[in-house]
Amino acid sequence: DAKTTQPTSMDCAEGRAANLPCNHSTISGNEYVYWYRQIHSQGPQYIIHGLKNNETNEMASLIITEDRKSSTLILPHATLRDTAVYYCIVRVRDTNAGKSTFGDGTTLTVKP
Amino acid sequence: NAGVTQTPKFQVLKTGQSMTLQCAQDMNHNSMYWYRQDPGMGLRLIYYSASEGTTDKGEVPNGYNVSRLNKREFSLRLESAAPSQTSVYFCASSALAGAPYDQFFGPGTRLTVL
């Protein structure tokens, strides 16, 4: 699976959009980009995923560059409850491939 | 639906003791996983089971064994616990292994080895 690179930490003002970048320059054609978050010490929570098109759901938007080497997770109106560690990972499209690596993620702090 | 459940929530062991961490899912998922998370770090895959009857090593399998008891349950065993295994252990499941199937995580087991 391709490796990802994320900034260690970011701050965002409450009510503003939080834009979290991720680099995955070695991604291959059959790998998806996934985002999870982990609030305090809870289990990670799925946010969104995409292959090559931009995606949106009730939690966030995912923008993937045309060359697929990087992506941005957008939380449109960040709240204090969005303070968490956000993980960007890539997962291969293979029903026997369980391996996916979680890096250290980005710690997002939403400030009042 | 309870999703993914893990027992126990907390455990303290002495070096050399053994124990089994239990995980169960009620989503009829085929694939299950065990991760560990050390303080301030991301998750690392220990073992996974793509389907009932199969298990495979992840990044950090040494010192652990797993059993896919049935489709619902996937256990992780520490035969002789060491202080380096102090960590939070998360179990996860997905409909099938690999994308585009989402992983659902349990609440974790916090293990301290003295």
Side-chain angles (χ1 to χ4, degrees):
Chain A
D1 292 344
K3 183 177 170 56
T4 62
T5 305
Q6 300 176 253
T8 302
S9 63
M10 294 181 64
D11 291 341
C12 177
E14 188 178 20
R16 297 290 200 130
N19 296 283
L20 290 84
C22 179
N23 286 320
H24 30 79
S25 58
T26 61
I27 194 169
S28 59
N30 65 345
E31 288 181 317
Y32 286 70
V33 179
Y34 271 75
W35 284 84
Y36 290 81
R37 73 179 182 184
Q38 188 174 28
I39 296 174
H40 196 44
S41 301
Q42 299 174 23
Q45 176 191 22
Y46 164 80
I47 301 174
I48 198 167
H49 75 272
L51 183 62
K52 53 184 177 180
N53 297 324
N54 297 338
E55 302 288 344
T56 296
N57 63 20
E58 65 277 6
M59 289 182 68
S61 295
L62 174 61
I63 308 297
I64 302 175
T65 58
E66 192 169 342
D67 63 7
R68 301 186 69 239
K69 293 185 177 182
S70 65
S71 60
T72 301
L73 178 74
I74 301 172
L75 307 177
H77 305 287
T79 70
L80 299 179
R81 287 176 293 181
D82 291 323
T83 292
V85 179
Y86 288 77
Y87 295 100
C88 168
I89 66 172
V90 292
R91 298 179 66 207
V92 68
R93 186 188 186 113
D94 180 340
T95 54
N96 289 315
K99 298 181 181 182
S100 55
T101 301
F102 283 72
D104 293 339
T106 296
T107 299
L108 175 69
T109 303
V110 181
K111 299 185 173 181
Chain B
N1 284 350
V4 179
T5 56
Q6 295 183 235
T7 55
K9 287 187 168 51
F10 300 91
Q11 184 71 49
V12 178
L13 293 177
K14 294 182 179 178
T15 296
Q17 288 185 314
S18 62
M19 79 160 296
T20 300
L21 281 64
Q22 306 287 354
C23 174
Q25 52 88 11
D26 62 1
M27 295 174 281
N28 200 33
H29 284 170
N30 289 289
S31 304
M32 299 184 73
Y33 314 78
W34 276 106
Y35 292 86
R36 62 176 286 175
Q37 184 175 35
D38 298 335
M41 299 180 68
L43 283 75
R44 291 183 292 171
L45 183 65
I46 305 172
Y47 272 94
Y48 70 98
S49 171
S51 60
E52 189 178 355
T54 68
T55 60
D56 283 286
K57 296 178 180 178
E59 299 175 74
V60 288
N62 291 344
Y64 305 95
N65 286 304
V66 290
S67 294
R68 183 72 183 268
L69 304 170
N70 48 54
K71 190 173 185 178
R72 287 188 64 246
E73 299 172 290
F74 189 37
S75 63
L76 178 72
R77 183 162 178 83
L78 287 70
E79 291 291 352
S80 178
S84 61
Q85 294 178 305
T86 293
S87 191
V88 181
Y89 291 84
F90 290 102
C91 178
S93 71
S94 60
L96 290 172
Y101 303 99
D102 310 331
Q103 289 180 308
F104 296 82
F105 285 82
T109 293
R110 283 144 185 82
L111 175 67
T112 301
V113 182
L114 302 175

